Amino acid sequence: MSLLWALRIGALLTLIVPARLGYWLCRVIGIAVFLFHPRARRAVLDNLRHVCPRCSRLWRTHQAARVFITAVMNYYDLVRIRTVDRHRLRELIEVRGWNHVEAALARQQGVIVLSAHLGNFNVVAQYPAELGLEAAIVVERVQPPSLFAYLCRLRSATGVRVLPSGPEAVPAILRLLRRNGILLVAGDRDVTGHSRLVRFFDAPARLPIGPIMLARRTGATLLPAYTIRLSPRRSLVVVDRPLDLVHTDDQEHDLLANLELVARALERMIRTDPGQWAVLQPVWADASPRTPLAEALGTVPASAPGGTTLQATSD
């Protein structure tokens, strides 16, 4: 069965299946996918090995199973979001550090919320729109197009605007930030090729440079934030202090220095609960062991396919 049909069937079942049973089924499905999808399982185990090199294989296996459960729960919440009362949605989300968002909005230059694919990322991204703020999320294009269109309809159900990743999204992003809107991006996985190598946990990985380029170009505040599940239904959002970006006349130096800040912020998020880091693809796959050490450590520019076109990606 394709993912599209699975989501459509899941959306219908949310109308008749109690949420408690639905989340129990998510656990069963998540464990099944973990057991019977060896390629994704190997990718998640490798990611967790980088997150905690000294942790035991038993720990990594347990956390990897939780990653799959988290991913399935995220899809389940996405298909049931239209059945949840909008005021009830606010009650299910606890927010800490919202004062940082208010301070950033007071600057009137827009806000770029930088996050990782941690916890219930898709649903929590709806929160600014629920407060009446103009918000958009940039998402990775997936195949087939019918699946991508369906996911976009689900994600935009409560008013947040969905922008497909790619150069065509840049004008809309710039207009949003000029109107002092909030842009939500995930910076923990490169999906466009517009990236640089940076040390991420224990090894070099390619992280997207789009959020940094946008902040530099527009003056928007780059604000780290993440979410974790407190229970199947309840989520906690933590907004940290804005990143103090480096600004000199050397754009490439600034880019690498600021990417280091982004990497450290993402590490802090993911270490909160690695079992909720719902990335099923290998993050370190493109960082070849043959990569020159100077480039791997970010001390010389790393080539990026297609130049440095502004990209800001999440999914």
Side-chain angles (χ1 to χ4, degrees), residues 229-249:
R229 287 182 185 268
L230 301 176
S231 69
R233 300 190 194 190
R234 290 188 56 79
S235 293
L236 169 68
V237 177
V238 179
V239 184
D240 289 332
R241 298 174 62 86
L243 295 182
D244 189 11
L245 298 179
V246 177
H247 289 280
T248 70
D249 293 331

Side-chain angles (χ1 to χ4, degrees), residues 63 84 131 144 208 259 278 283 286 300 303:
Q63 299 303 322
V84 178
L131 298 180
L259 195 58
V283 173
D286 293 334
V300 298
S303 61

